[in-house]
Amino acid sequence: MILSVTTRPHSQAESRIIDPDVARASTLPSRFYTESSLMALEKEKIFARTWQIVGHAAQVAKIGDYFTTQSADEPLVITRDTNGELRGFYNVCRHRAGPPAQGCGSRKLFRCLYHGWTYSLEGKLLNAPEMEGTADFRPADFALRPVRCEEWGGLIFVNLDDDAEPLTQALRELPQQAEKFGLEKMRLFARREYVMECDWKTYIDNFLEGYHLPSVHPSLNRELDYSRYSTELFERHSFQGSPIRGPENEATVDRRYAQSKGDLSAEYFWIFPNWMLNCYPDN
């Protein structure tokens, strides 16, 4: 999403004016990419208040399946409870903050390795060793703290904000736009992690333009009709797309989508603040 940002001194703060005219576009001031204090603020104001992808439905396909993860630096455990309901909890024992769950797998209950406090798949405290006779101790008061957890298109999301709107509402037009790809029917093939040594916004800035396509991705550029590359903006996300070339240059270069008759496309969605969905004809 390209915006023009003008900064003017205003005591110790900055006043930012957003100009909708793309001809006047510029990036955010450099300090927004470098100051650690701003990153901490972004975790609080952005990442802890938006829906974040944490996994795939295949990881919790059966009752008792679980995996651990993090969102905005908070440790979480995602599981499928005894009723088949998807649940998320802070992976923090209510006694001394040890982790009730480790790694991933399938369990009938979660047991903290620190002092043995045991929790059900629904997060209820089942056993607290040696707490018998403790005045005013009620196990119901020490259940695992739940976190908002929902699923769309086979993807699992969490939101640390208890008051956040439901996931499908937050996605606005996206489910309808991506419906044709049948994401919920796709299988999890692999998970790959790449460490990007940059501020998260730097990576997003790169994703939000096709300008680098001819230079950085020549093989992909041979597939796409760059002259028809387009970008469309929505309230919570952006859409970039390009038709895949027809057979006009099939004889001269090797192409992944050589079978295209000009009726295929590549579509790229960016959903605020930090996740991207790349849709090609075969993946």
Side-chain angles (χ1 to χ4, degrees), residues 116-156:
W117 282 35
T118 304
Y119 300 87
S120 71
L121 298 177
E122 290 75 29
K124 296 179 181 179
L125 178 60
L126 300 177
N127 183 37
E130 302 183 39
M131 294 298 290
E132 300 85 355
T134 302
D136 301 322
F137 178 75
R138 298 176 63 252
D141 294 336
F142 294 92
L144 292 178
R145 280 197 57 194
V147 63
R148 297 279 299 279
C149 186
E150 297 185 27
E151 181 181 343
W152 171 77
L155 303 171
I156 294 175

Side-chain angles (χ1 to χ4, degrees), residues 228 243-248 255 257 259-265:
R228 297 170 64 189
I244 291 177
R245 295 179 187 274
E248 64 274 6
R255 293 181 52 202
Y257 303 114
Q259 79 282 9
S260 174
K261 306 303 182 194
D263 57 342
L264 302 178
S265 62

Side-chain angles (χ1 to χ4, degrees), residues 1-3 173 177 208 231-240 270:
M1 196 171 298
I2 304 175
L3 299 174
E173 303 92 345
Q177 292 170 343
L208 290 178
T231 299
E232 190 173 358
L233 305 182
F234 298 88
E235 180 184 0
R236 296 288 180 83
H237 72 282
S238 70
F239 167 80
Q240 298 174 80
W270 169 74

Side-chain angles (χ1 to χ4, degrees), residues 124-272:
K124 296 179 181 179
L125 178 60
L126 300 177
N127 183 37
E130 302 183 39
M131 294 298 290
E132 300 85 355
T134 302
D136 301 322
F137 178 75
R138 298 176 63 252
D141 294 336
F142 294 92
L144 292 178
R145 280 197 57 194
V147 63
R148 297 279 299 279
C149 186
E150 297 185 27
E151 181 181 343
W152 171 77
L155 303 171
I156 294 175
F157 299 75
V158 298
N159 195 318
L160 304 185
D161 182 1
D162 293 336
D163 297 322
E165 62 183 334
L167 173 62
T168 53
Q169 291 184 24
L171 294 179
R172 299 298 195 265
E173 303 92 345
L174 179 65
Q176 182 179 358
Q177 292 170 343
E179 183 178 9
K180 63 182 178 181
F181 295 105
L183 299 177
E184 69 284 349
K185 299 177 183 178
M186 293 187 178
R187 294 177 296 169
L188 179 62
F189 176 74
R191 178 187 177 99
R192 299 176 182 174
E193 296 188 9
Y194 303 89
V195 177
M196 303 295 178
E197 295 188 359
C198 63
D199 182 81
W200 68 278
K201 295 184 294 299
T202 302
Y203 192 86
I204 299 298
D205 288 346
N206 175 81
F207 183 86
L208 290 178
E209 46 96 343
Y211 187 36
H212 66 281
L213 185 64
S215 300
V216 179
H217 305 294
S219 60
L220 180 59
N221 193 50
R222 287 196 295 269
E223 303 283 353
L224 305 186
D225 186 351
Y226 181 67
S227 66
R228 297 170 64 189
Y229 197 98
S230 63
T231 299
E232 190 173 358
L233 305 182
F234 298 88
E235 180 184 0
R236 296 288 180 83
H237 72 282
S238 70
F239 167 80
Q240 298 174 80
S242 173
I244 291 177
R245 295 179 187 274
E248 64 274 6
N249 60 355
E250 183 177 335
T252 59
V253 295
D254 292 331
R255 293 181 52 202
R256 178 171 182 142
Y257 303 114
Q259 79 282 9
S260 174
K261 306 303 182 194
D263 57 342
L264 302 178
S265 62
E267 301 184 6
Y268 308 96
F269 300 92
W270 169 74
I271 302 88
F272 180 84

